[in-house]
Structure formats: C-alpha cells, structure tokens
Amino acid sequence: MTRVVPLLALVSGSALAASSSGTANLLFSLFWVVLAASVFGMIASKLGVPAVVGQVLAGILIGPSLLNLARPDEFLLSLAELGAVFLLFMVGLETRFRDLLAVGKEALLVAVLGIVIPLALGFGFGLFQGQGNVSALFVGTALVATSVGITAKVLQEMGVLDARFAQVILGAAVIDDILGLTLLAVVSGLGAGESMGAAQVALILGLSVGFVALVLAVGIPLIHRFQPRLQNLSLARMFNVAIVVGLGVAALSTVAGLAPIIGAFLAGMVLAEVKDEVEFESKVHALEAFLAPIFFVVVGLQLDLSVLGTPTVIVAGLILTVLAVIGKVVGGLLGARSMGGQQALLVGVGMVPRGEVGLIVASLGLGAGIINGNVYAEVLLMVLLTTVLAPLALRVLARRAGPEAIAAKA
C-alpha cells in the first residue's frame, strides 16, 4: 500500500503537469495573438491604414509561416469565430432594419450580381486551366464568398455604418451569405458524387430565407412589447439579456444552414430597436473590442505562405485576384448604379474581401480532393490579397468621394 500512494501521487502529478502545460500553451497562444492584434492594429491606425489590415498581417507574422508563435488550433479558431459573432452583433446594433429596407432593391441586385459574375469568371478560369467541371465550380464558389466581417469593421472604424452605401453593403452581404452557402452546399454535394435536384436546392434556400424572415418578423414586435420591462433592468442584467439573445440567434442560424454571424447580425438589428431607451451597448462594445481583433489575427494565422512556392501558382493567383475584384466591383457598379458612380464603386469595393469565407471554401475543396494543392494555393493568394488590399482601397475611395457622398443616409 505504501508503494501505491507514491505511484498515485506520481500519476496525479504527471496528469496535473500535462494539464498545466496544455493550459500554458493555450494562454501563450492567446497572449501572442492579443499582443500582435493590439500592436499591429495601433501601428496601422497611426499610418492611416484600417486596423484590420495590420491585424491580418500580424497573424501572418506570428503564424506557422514565419515566427510560429501561434497556430490556428481548435481553441483559437473557436475564439475567432466568437469574435466574428460579436463583431456582427455589434454591427447589427448600429443598423436599423428600416434602413436596410430602404436600400433593399440595391442590396438584392448587388448580392445577385456579386454571385453570378464572380462564379462565371472563376468557373471559366478553372476550365481554362484544364480543371474538371466540379473543381472549376469550387474556384468560382471561392470567388463568390464575401467576408462581411472585414468590411463591417472598416466601416465601423470610419464611423459610416449608417451611410447609404454601407447599408447596401451590409444588406447585400446578408443575401450574399444566404445564396453563397446554398451554392456551397450544392457544389459540395456534386463533389461528393451526390445528385441534388431542384427540390433539395429550394429546400436549403427556403430554410435560410425563412429563418431570416422569422427572426425579424417575430423579434422586432416582441422586443417592442417587452421594452418597458427591459427599461427597468440594471445595466448588468440587460447586458446578460443582450448576450443571451445574440448567442441564441447565432446558434439557431447554424440550424437553418446559415453562418452564425448572420444570426448575430439579425439579433443585433432586433435589439437596435430599443438601444436608445435601454443602455447595454457600451458593454457589448467592450466585449467586441477584445474578441473581434482575435478573429482578424486568426485569419492571418490560417494563411500558409509556404504553398506559394512556384511562379506558376503566383501568376495564376494574381489573375484569380483580378477576376475576384472585377466580379464584385462590376456587381456593385451595376447593382447600385441608381446611387451614382461614387457610391456604387464604394459598394463594389466593400464586397471584395474574401477573408475566412474564401479559406473555408478552399479548405473544403482540398479536403474532399476536389481541388489540388496548386489550385488551393491560388485561391489562398487571392484570399490574402483581397483581404489586405480591399480595406485600403475602400478607405482611399471614401476619402476621395468626399463627405457629401459618405454622409448620404439610407
């Protein structure tokens, strides 16, 4: 018995040491991510560059491709997704549903054209390279994707979320997500050898559209009904209510086949109806200010620069980037032409970043064996360039457009 006790102590000590080591690794990874986000975000802002650009570049620097101080493991990926959820929740809080309705026609046109044109360009480029139909469709689908989180953060930094062009971008991004995820489900099914009929596609689309309509149709009247009770809650309790609503709707959106960020955005819009009468926004903003930069750094962590090893891949990736930009900009110019050339161009450029959405599409294609390593690398380069360059271009164009164009409300 006397020998068993030391043995148990040794085993327990080893387990504790292993657990402590795992916790230490998680904390050091988080430390480097938060430090890099803070430093590079501040430097970017000082240089007049959107903070998100600095944060994405910070992720590349500390990631596996260069310094290898942090890796995009399950912990950081989950935390990053939570950051994206709260970013879009905060953006929703600054967006009134009636403002989106005012730009509904333009948003729908921008979204549809921003899917059809890039899809056709990407599919055509894939066929030109000698890829099969399904592989080329995956390339087209990667070009369809829009990372609303990146553009939304830039618009938030600029303080123009209530501008007409910004409302069109946000509205188009929601529609883009619904149609884009439906397309991804169809293309993934084709890649797996499944036959997907029109009825299945209609069901996927119907569930997504129905969820959005249900949240807004039920949520907005309900929040107005409970407004008097909410006004009697303390700041801390109202903050808890807001977080529960945001997380709950974000979780439910995944059941409907949508990204959780869309549910969070919708929840924010519902709560925006009472934010002027009920105080809680400042606390939500504090939480978002901590989590959202983690999301952008992790986007950078996921970009593996080692795959960009050959001139052929780089040239093809640059061509794909040009096609990606053309597809969204032309979609914006045509879809929002009623707003005038300057604002329509802002809309098109705002839809350009692919970010984490493009990475997800490319990873799915590579994992399923539908696209090869070279095609994956080309898409990766396109994602990197559109993610970094589009926010810069958006800010420059906004300055050139002048305060009158920016101040135009929905």
Side-chain angles (χ1 to χ4, degrees), residues 194-245:
E194 301 175 8
S195 58
M196 189 168 292
Q200 289 174 290
V201 176
L203 178 62
I204 296 170
L205 185 59
L207 283 172
S208 301
V209 174
F211 175 77
V212 173
L214 183 65
V215 169
L216 296 175
V218 174
I220 291 177
L222 203 60
I223 200 72
H224 282 299
R225 181 176 179 181
F226 282 96
Q227 180 180 329
R229 296 184 183 182
L230 295 176
Q231 287 177 303
N232 294 326
L233 295 179
S234 65
L235 175 59
R237 288 186 178 179
M238 185 58 214
F239 170 69
N240 290 337
V241 169
I243 297 302
V244 167
V245 171

Side-chain angles (χ1 to χ4, degrees), residues 359-380:
L359 289 175
I360 290 169
V361 174
S363 298
L364 285 174
L366 183 66
I370 298 168
I371 61 175
N372 60 36
N374 283 346
V375 175
Y376 174 75
E378 293 162 11
V379 174
L380 193 69

